[in-house]
Amino acid sequence: NAGVTQTPKFQVLKTGQSMTLQCAQDMNHEYMSWYRQDPGMGLRLIHYSVGAGITDQGEVPNGYNVSRSTTEDFPLRLLSAAPSQTSVYFCASRRMFGSSYNEQFFGPGTRLTVL
Amino acid sequence: SQQGEEDPQALSIQEGENATMNCSYKTSINNLQWYRQNSGRGLVHLILIRSNEREKHSGRLRVTLDTSKKSSSLLITASRAADTASYFCATANAGGTSYGKLTFGQGTILTVHP
């Protein structure tokens, strides 16, 4: 199993540009989520999904869109990039049910810089 | 807002010593988890303790949970240089439609000197 994969690893954008961060998992996990990590702030939840076709907002959703058309994929879209979105983005997934359903598996991250 | 507050923010020890990190939280939880993050990498799950448990062990890790004080501690015994990483606590809120969403603390940076 590849686990949780993210592309790209690094990205530089100009203010106002749009892009999509890709995330995929091959563990058949129902729950997928996106976090951003900023220095001294820990990880903050952007959006999450509990299954295909179901998404909801997390703690810091403004400026980001998500969709979940398949169990495997959960892309994160930046509509109009701003310098405040410079961060490291992590995708994570986990099972929704079962004894270990809360253990989250994280991707390697995407380091995004917005100029 | 952050649910977990971790203490200390940074910890520097010698190989072989024990490392203790603390986490405090604000609301009722279903469980509390600890993750490790090596520099430039994603987070890796270490251990989970449920709200009805008081102590849990996994190898050199020992986690305690005091729900009356809303606090947890992670003890790493006989530390190794390879334990150098950031450690995060994360709480899964109880009840409602939270779906067990995790809220992370700010992390403790542990440096183990050979």
Side-chain angles (χ1 to χ4, degrees), chain B residues 7-82:
Chain B
D7 168 57
Q9 290 188 350
L11 181 60
S12 181
I13 59 175
Q14 296 295 127
E15 229 174 11
E17 294 181 339
N18 295 343
T20 300
M21 289 159 265
N22 303 297
C23 171
S24 60
Y25 58 92
K26 297 173 185 171
T27 61
S28 295
I29 62 171
N30 177 284
N31 64 71
L32 185 145
Q33 304 174 38
W34 287 89
Y35 287 80
R36 184 187 74 223
Q37 182 181 35
N38 290 91
S39 181
R41 308 291 291 271
L43 278 73
V44 175
H45 182 267
L46 293 176
I47 194 166
L48 179 154
I49 186 165
R50 300 193 186 283
S51 59
N52 61 353
E53 297 175 313
R54 292 297 168 257
E55 187 171 312
K56 204 158 183 184
H57 296 255
S58 177
R60 294 184 295 113
L61 305 180
R62 172 178 169 255
V63 170
T64 61
L65 179 64
D66 187 335
T67 53
S68 66
K69 295 181 180 177
K70 291 187 169 59
S71 67
S72 173
S73 67
L74 171 68
L75 168 68
I76 304 174
T77 59
S79 62
R80 305 166 182 167

